[in-house]
Amino acid sequence: NAGVTQTPKFRILKIGQSMTLQCTQDMNHNYMYWYRQDPGMGLKLIYYSVGAGITDKGEVPNGYNVSRSTTEDFPLRLELAAPSQTSVYFCASSYFEILSPLHFGNGTRLTVT
Amino acid sequence: GQQLNQSPQSMFIQEGEDVSMNCTSSSIFNTWLWYKQEPGEGPVLLIALYKAGELTSNGRLTAQFGITRKDSFLNISASIPSDVGIYFCAGQGSPSGGGADGLTFGKGTHLIIQP
């Protein structure tokens, strides 16, 4: 099993550009999450999904969109990139909500200039 | 939102020393988790704690779920160079949490080991 796979690993965007961060997992997990990690901070939840076709906002959803058309994939979309979105983005998945630790991808480092 | 206070923020220790870090919260949690993150990678789960008072070991790592359910500590014994990284605590399943993700992260403890 590859676990949670994120692409790309790095990306530089200009202000106002758009992009999609890809995330796929091969563990048949129901729950998937997108977090951002800023220097010296813990991870903050952007969006999450409890299953295909269902998504919901986390703590910091503004400026982002997600979709969950399949169990495996959970892409994160930035429509109008802003410097405040410079961060490292982590996708994670878990089988259940409770008592089921998250498995993380290796992250996407995004810089918006 | 909820916050976890994780301390210390960073530790500079000699190889072979023991390490101790902790997290406290104003909210109670049903699960405490400890993750380690190395440069360029995502966090990896070290230990999961599911019951108040539980003491769990994983090799040289020992973690405890506080009786009050508002705190947890992680100890690393006889540190080695590969222990370097950032350690995060996370609380899961708080009654005051929202949505499917009851996971709240601390800000991390950066562990640096001098040979």
Side-chain angles (χ1 to χ4, degrees):
Chain A
N1 286 351
V4 179
T5 303
Q6 290 183 238
T7 56
K9 291 187 190 295
F10 305 94
R11 184 73 186 269
I12 298 175
L13 284 182
K14 294 191 186 309
I15 294 171
Q17 285 186 320
S18 62
M19 77 163 293
T20 299
L21 283 68
Q22 302 291 345
C23 176
T24 188
Q25 52 91 10
D26 62 359
M27 298 174 282
N28 203 32
H29 284 172
N30 296 315
Y31 293 82
M32 295 188 75
Y33 311 81
W34 274 105
Y35 287 88
R36 61 176 287 171
Q37 184 179 35
D38 298 310
M41 305 293 288
L43 286 81
K44 292 192 181 295
L45 183 67
I46 304 171
Y47 269 95
Y48 64 94
S49 168
V50 303
I54 306 169
T55 63
D56 210 342
K57 296 178 180 179
E59 184 181 355
V60 289
N62 291 345
Y64 307 94
N65 279 301
V66 293
S67 59
R68 184 91 182 273
S69 57
T70 66
T71 299
E72 295 77 20
D73 300 307
F74 190 42
L76 177 72
R77 178 97 179 143
L78 283 71
E79 291 292 352
L80 290 170
S84 61
Q85 293 178 304
T86 294
S87 188
V88 181
Y89 292 84
F90 288 99
C91 179
S93 70
S94 65
Y95 193 48
F96 293 115
E97 171 195 350
I98 302 297
L99 304 186
S100 181
L102 273 59
H103 297 261
F104 286 87
N106 283 335
T108 295
R109 183 176 293 275
L110 176 67
T111 302
V112 182
T113 62
Chain B
Q2 304 157 68
Q3 285 196 334
L4 290 185
N5 297 311
Q6 186 172 351
S7 64
Q9 282 189 332
S10 58
M11 301 182 73
F12 294 80
I13 63 167
Q14 299 284 337
E15 183 178 352
E17 286 185 21
D18 296 342
V19 172
S20 184
M21 60 191 78
N22 69 84
C23 272
T24 60
S25 171
S26 56
S27 305
I28 61 173
F29 288 101
N30 295 323
T31 304
W32 280 92
L33 306 164
W34 285 92
Y35 286 87
K36 179 187 178 187
Q37 185 179 24
E38 299 189 16
E41 298 184 6
V44 174
L45 182 69
L46 298 174
I47 291 181
L49 302 158
Y50 299 112
K51 290 194 300 189
E54 180 181 355
L55 184 72
T56 297
S57 293
N58 178 8
R60 292 178 296 105
L61 277 61
T62 302
Q64 184 157 29
F65 191 147
I67 287 289
T68 64
R69 294 166 63 195
K70 292 183 178 182
D71 63 319
S72 177
F73 73 73
L74 174 71
N75 287 343
I76 306 172
S77 62
S79 59
I80 59 178
S82 62
D83 290 334
V84 165
I86 303 176
Y87 293 79
F88 290 98
C89 63
Q92 187 176 38
S94 170
S96 57
D101 174 64
L103 204 61
T104 302
F105 282 88
K107 293 184 179 180
T109 294
H110 197 164
L111 181 61
I112 298 164
I113 298 176
Q114 298 159 334

